[in-house]
Structures are given as C-alpha cells and as structure tokens.
Amino acid sequence: MENKKQLYIPQHVGIIMDGNGRWAKKRGLPRSVGHTYGAKTFKSITRYISRCGVKYLTLYAFSTENWKRPLEEVNALMKIFRQYLIDSLTDFREDDIKVNFIGDRSAFAKDIIDLINETEEVAKDRKGMQLNIAMNYGGRDEILTAVKALCTEARDSGLDISSITEEDISRRLYTSGQPDPDLIIRTGGEHRLSNFMLYQAAYAEFYSTDTLWPDFDNDEFDKAVLEFNKRSRRFGGV
Ligand code: IPE
Ligand code: IPE
Ligand code: MG
C-alpha cells in the first residue's frame, strides 16, 4: 500500500464476502465455481491484510440463513470449507496468523467440526493477526446466546440483573476480548449487514463496493482503507 505510513490502519476489519454466485453466473458457470474462486481470494487477501498491520480480521463465510440455499449449493460450500480448513492448518503459519471460528459450529458435520477444532488448536499460540472466520454465524443468534448465558447466571449463580452492563454482553459474544470492528467492507454491491456483527457494528464505518468477492484484491482493500481515512468518526460526540 502506497504511503501506508501516513494512513491510519483500522485495528479490526470485518468483511462480508458477497457476490460469488453472480461472479460465476456472469461467466455462465455454476454458482459453486464462484465459491471456489472466492476461497482463493479469501486466502490471498487474509495474508495481505495481515501484512498491512490489521490486528483483527473477521470474514463472513456462511450465515445462519445460508442453510436456506439449495442443498446442492450448501453441499458444494461444505466441500470447499473442508478444503480451506485443511489448507488453513498450514497456510497462515508463515504469517503467524491466529485462526479462530465464530458461529454455531455444532450444526456442521463431525469431520468439519474436528477440522475447525484442529485449526484453532494449531494456531492458538500464534502472535500475529487474529483471523475470525464466521461460519454458521448470525448476529441475532450470537446476541440470543449471550442473553441465555446471562439469564442462566442470574438464575443459578446469583448474577444481579440490575448490574448487567454492555461490557457483560460483549464478553459473552463470540468476539469476547476483541475490539469492535472499525471498518466493515461488503463486496457485491449490497448495502446491508445481513446479520453480521450486529452488536459489535454499532460504530463501525461501512464501506460497500460493487466488486464481486472473487475479484476483490489488494488494491480494492487499499481503496477501502483510503476511504476509511476520510471518514470522521464522532461516536455520538461533536
Ligand atoms: C457469498 O456469495 C458467499 C456466501 C454467502 C456463502 P453469494 O453466494 O451470496 O453470491 P451472490 O450474492 O449470490 O452473488
Ligand atoms: C451474506 O451474504 C452472508 C455471507 C457473505 C456469508 P448473503 O448473500 O447471504 O446476503 P443477502 O441474502 O444478500 O442479504
Ligand atoms: Mg449473496
């Protein structure tokens, strides 16, 4: 990135990786081919973003609503996940990237759950960027899980309901201990969060690009960071 030194690099970036299906359709290919190319972008951009100095990167790979897709597409996605989980075991070692999964992993097939656990385990002591891969992730589901945990503590452990703080909720989210995202990028041209980081996104800067995810590259990321640097973040102040 040119003149990167003068730029403020966001600490936590979230990306809604959208547009794989349309990318494939434009080329007369099945949607699953778009997902295969999207997985390649996922790998290369993760490395680049880590080298830019971002400390936390959250990539939205599969939502709690994506199970609604035709079985054929869901199966193709699961096959791609298997491969990118296997690749993730070694891919990010060189860059010391710590891989972590957010979402309800219990819904996946046993071999995928095992791979998720193994990937987290091999990366657990790494000191570089923390990569959160959001799989079967939904912001509402995450908030619901936190609410249930707090209710259980109130019932069983004497947690005083009137003393519950926003911080208590944050600590029960999948991203517990991590800063909120500063910048959320969505590829594929839509201007919505689609259930991504609903609680954490309160003051994130939103950047949408028409570029479809398989075409998203380092220059596109640089553009998003440049735009982010032009924003005035007031957090409700003046
Ligand atoms: C994003 O691309 C990947 C997933 C949601 C798994 P899409 O598959 O949503 O692609 P479009 O939006 O249909 O083009
Ligand atoms: C959001 O994309 C989910 C992911 C990128 C994983 P979708 O394609 O599912 O979102 P909608 O349906 O356009 O809102
Ligand atoms: Mg989409």
Side-chain angles (χ1 to χ4, degrees):
M1 190 185 285
E2 258 178 79
N3 298 325
K4 207 170 11 180
K5 283 204 180 73
Q6 285 108 304
L7 286 175
Y8 176 72
I9 303 294
Q11 209 187 358
H12 187 167
V13 175
I15 306 186
I16 302 169
M17 309 184 285
D18 196 25
N20 293 348
R22 279 164 284 165
W23 184 92
K25 201 173 161 205
K26 260 175 46 182
R27 290 164 177 77
L29 297 164
R31 290 176 57 85
S32 62
V33 177
H35 296 311
T36 303
Y37 277 85
K40 289 189 206 294
T41 302
F42 158 90
K43 283 194 201 179
S44 55
I45 206 71
T46 296
R47 235 176 266 127
Y48 179 67
I49 292 176
S50 136
R51 289 173 188 179
C52 286
V54 168
K55 300 283 179 249
Y56 300 86
L57 172 65
T58 302
L59 296 179
Y60 201 10
F62 193 84
S63 76
T64 46
E65 287 73 48
N66 287 148
W67 298 106
K68 288 183 200 159
R69 295 185 177 202
L71 187 62
E72 193 192 338
E73 180 169 347
V74 171
N75 286 341
L77 278 165
M78 294 304 141
K79 210 171 147 190
I80 290 163
F81 290 156
R82 275 189 185 87
Q83 195 51 53
Y84 83 47
L85 284 164
I86 292 167
D87 296 347
S88 293
L89 283 169
T90 50
D91 266 357
F92 303 127
R93 199 167 38 203
E94 194 191 328
D95 288 86
D96 211 27
I97 294 169
K98 184 170 172 164
V99 193
N100 173 54
F101 291 84
I102 64 171
D104 177 10
R105 64 187 70 179
S106 70
F108 293 110
K110 166 102 175 43
D111 68 308
I112 294 188
I113 299 175
D114 290 346
L115 275 169
I116 287 176
N117 292 336
E118 199 184 337
T119 307
E120 283 180 339
E121 180 61 28
V122 298
K124 73 174 192 311
D125 296 323
R126 295 193 191 147
K127 301 281 181 278
M129 182 181 79
Q130 165 125 10
L131 167 66
N132 299 314
I133 305 178
M135 275 173 58
N136 193 27
Y137 172 89
R140 286 188 171 182
D141 176 63
E142 181 181 40
I143 294 167
L144 175 64
T145 305
V147 169
K148 282 182 180 166
L150 287 166
C151 290
T152 305
E153 285 168 52
R155 187 192 61 198
D156 300 341
S157 323
L159 173 73
D160 173 15
I161 293 174
S162 65
S163 73
I164 296 174
T165 61
E166 291 184 3
E167 182 50 34
D168 289 326
I169 298 175
S170 292
R171 263 193 283 115
R172 284 158 184 85
L173 302 176
Y174 290 117
T175 50
S176 174
Q178 301 181 24
D180 287 339
D182 304 292
L183 169 65
I184 293 181
I185 299 171
R186 180 164 185 147
T187 62
E190 310 294 356
H191 294 241
R192 55 176 172 258
L193 285 171
S194 301
N195 210 3
F196 183 60
M197 301 194 103
L198 298 184
Y199 192 85
Q200 301 91 328
Y203 276 101
E205 294 298 326
F206 190 68
Y207 176 88
S208 173
T209 169
D210 288 337
T211 302
L212 303 170
W213 177 249
D215 292 329
F216 191 81
D217 59 13
N218 301 353
D219 289 346
E220 292 276 346
F221 180 73
D222 290 355
K223 268 193 231 162
V225 172
L226 281 171
E227 169 66 27
F228 173 77
N229 273 262
K230 292 184 195 146
R231 304 276 177 92
S232 164
R233 303 183 78 192
R234 289 185 291 279
F235 300 96
V238 286

